Amino acid sequence: MSKKDYYEILGVSRSASESDVKKAYRALAIKYHPDKNPDDPNAEEKFKEVSEAYSVLSTPEKKQRYDQFGHNDNNFSGGMNMDDIFSQFGDIFGGGGGSPFDSFFGGGGNRGRVNRGSNLRVNLKLNLVEIANGCDKKIKIKRHVSCSDCKGTGSSDGQIHNCSHCNGSGQLKRVVNTMMGQMVSSTPCNHCSGSGSAITNKCPKCNGSSTVEKEEIIDLNIPAGVLSGMQLSMGGKGNMAPRNGISGDLLIVIEEIEDEFLKRDGLNINYDLKISFLDAVFGADVEVPVIGGKTNIKIKNGIQSGEIIYLKNKGLKDVNSHPSSTQRGDQLIHVNVFTPQSLTNDEKDILLKIKNSENFKPKK
């Protein structure tokens, strides 16, 4: 696959919105679709090229890595095939699970009828320590898998025949008039769910659906530095499509549990430290919380309220950084001098004696 710039391939700027990227891809995909260009041997390669560009620029995490590393990132090595494209972008034109171009063309044989199961979405709560260091998690999910009794056919006796409504094509077609002229509109057959097959005797375990619900334990490896709201994906761990189709994905949405003392700000961590007036005057050694524990810091004498003490490399790792990188953000300690609101008579007498001292007057 060409290493040509993805933005250049789609003809969009680097500041293009998600809708602009989608619109550009739609137009180019129609232009280069192999079914529309049967006599052009280069059309399929161009079609793959624009689809690869769209797969990266339409995914926030991939786009961020591409903007940072370009083609040097090993995740962008190319090599998409037609099944990848048809299964991955099945909803780009609002389709129902088959080829994303079935509503514009007559489909591409079995290639255009890839049945893909629905995605599953789970929320995963992580505390600041787990986010900072990365972690392994186990989650329990229920998903649809192939029925073991009928081996995913839905038939109790293995007798499968062509659907009489679509003649085994899996598609119901009709001619529609568009601004580009007459085209064949093709939608998945609602009688066989696009499989093209029908059964006489239903499997009693799955009632002919070909899938059953199963509870599974999924092992997750969460990288360090994930953000709240970030979505991670595990391919093939969603629901399986009927008749041994392609499984959807498991989408893991990160939810950060707010820490009682430490507040995240990008890669940095903020902490508000309150010290007494005398500690500000004379200096002190104080203990402060950090990610995963505590540490001692030295307060210099004469420190002012509002000053910031930096603990270098005590923040969070960039989730897009190289796994071997040790670079992290910082922890910022915001110093606040506490002013007492009630004093004893002896305390008042002591403070009144020094109130008018030149050393206790603000410097101009």
Side-chain angles (χ1 to χ4, degrees):
M1 186 67 65
S2 169
K3 295 301 182 183
K4 187 177 177 182
D5 181 79
Y6 287 147
Y7 292 97
E8 186 178 344
I9 290 172
L10 294 183
V12 298
S13 68
R14 288 186 172 270
S15 59
S17 66
E18 184 177 344
S19 62
D20 289 337
V21 170
K22 187 173 183 178
K23 183 178 179 181
Y25 172 61
R26 181 200 297 255
L28 291 171
I30 293 173
K31 179 180 179 181
Y32 294 117
H33 192 282
D35 289 349
K36 191 179 180 184
N37 302 274
D39 299 322
D40 185 357
N42 296 320
E44 183 169 322
E45 286 306 311
K46 291 291 294 183
F47 180 71
K48 290 179 182 178
E49 186 179 59
V50 297
S51 296
E52 181 182 323
Y54 178 74
S55 74
V56 173
L57 300 186
S58 64
T59 308
E61 292 83 3
K62 290 182 180 180
K63 181 178 183 296
Q64 184 179 20
R65 293 187 68 88
Y66 178 71
D67 288 343
Q68 185 175 1
F69 302 109
H71 288 288
N72 292 326
D73 192 315
N74 291 331
N75 291 322
F76 309 134
S77 57
M80 292 189 75
N81 58 46
M82 300 302 283
D83 286 342
D84 290 335
I85 296 168
F86 289 137
S87 62
Q88 187 170 352
F89 306 133
D91 61 348
I92 187 69
F93 291 100
S99 165
F101 310 99
D102 283 348
S103 59
F104 288 86
F105 310 101
N110 290 334
R111 181 186 67 193
R113 292 191 284 107
V114 178
N115 291 327
R116 190 173 188 274
S118 60
N119 293 334
L120 292 177
R121 185 186 300 269
V122 296
N123 289 337
L124 181 64
K125 293 184 177 182
L126 300 175
N127 60 40
L128 196 55
V129 175
E130 292 171 325
I131 289 174
N133 301 321
C135 60
D136 292 325
K137 288 283 188 178
K138 291 181 181 293
I139 60 171
K140 184 183 293 186
I141 64 170
K142 289 183 178 180
R143 70 187 190 104
H144 291 285
V145 298
S146 180
C147 175
S148 57
D149 283 12
C150 64
K151 297 181 173 57
T153 64
S155 172
S156 61
D157 55 12
Q159 298 298 314
I160 303 173
H161 53 83
N162 286 341
C163 172
S164 59
H165 293 86
C166 63
N167 295 321
S169 69
Q171 304 288 305
L172 298 176
K173 302 176 182 180
R174 63 188 180 90
V175 177
V176 295
N177 294 316
T178 72
M179 59 185 297
M180 294 184 289
Q182 279 194 338
M183 290 189 178
V184 178
S185 173
S186 181
T187 58
C189 175
N190 59 336
H191 296 279
C192 63
S193 301
S195 67
S197 60
I199 56 176
T200 302
N201 299 309
K202 294 181 178 180
C203 168
K205 183 176 182 179
C206 64
N207 195 31
S209 69
S210 78
T211 64
V212 293
E213 190 175 68
K214 180 182 178 182
E215 188 172 84
E216 291 185 10
I217 302 296
I218 303 294
D219 292 317
L220 304 178
N221 178 250
I222 307 300
V226 291
L227 298 165
S228 189
M230 179 176 285
Q231 183 173 281
L232 307 179
S233 176
M234 292 187 71
K237 290 298 183 180
N239 288 321
M240 174 170 279
R243 308 291 189 269
N244 291 314
I246 297 173
S247 293
D249 297 335
L250 173 62
L251 307 177
I252 303 103
V253 181
I254 302 299
E255 184 176 338
E256 182 176 331
I257 302 172
E258 187 171 332
D259 191 86
E260 183 179 1
F261 303 107
L262 304 177
K263 306 303 176 185
R264 181 175 186 174
D265 181 16
L267 301 182
N268 294 329
I269 298 295
N270 291 315
Y271 173 68
D272 288 326
L273 173 65
K274 291 183 178 181
I275 61 173
S276 70
F277 167 70
L278 293 179
D279 282 342
V281 172
F282 296 110
D285 291 324
V286 298
E287 186 178 71
V288 296
V290 293
I291 296 176
K294 296 181 178 181
T295 191
N296 290 316
I297 64 170
K298 188 173 185 63
I299 303 296
K300 66 180 181 180
N301 61 300
I303 196 168
Q304 301 297 304
S305 186
E307 286 194 32
I308 298 176
I309 300 172
Y310 289 85
L311 300 183
K312 294 295 184 182
N313 223 33
K314 290 293 186 181
L316 298 172
K317 186 175 181 178
D318 187 342
V319 68
N320 293 311
S321 63
H322 194 276
S324 63
S325 173
T326 59
Q327 186 67 37
R328 292 174 177 263
D330 302 326
Q331 178 164 325
L332 284 62
I333 300 174
H334 301 263
V335 177
N336 298 281
V337 178
F338 170 73
T339 303
Q341 295 179 317
S342 61
L343 298 170
T344 65
N345 289 333
D346 288 341
E347 290 169 338
K348 288 180 181 179
D349 291 339
I350 293 172
L351 293 176
L352 285 172
K353 288 179 182 179
I354 61 175
K355 177 181 178 181
N356 295 320
S357 169
E358 288 297 322
N359 289 329
F360 282 81
K361 293 179 179 179
K363 304 299 180 183
K364 293 183 180 179

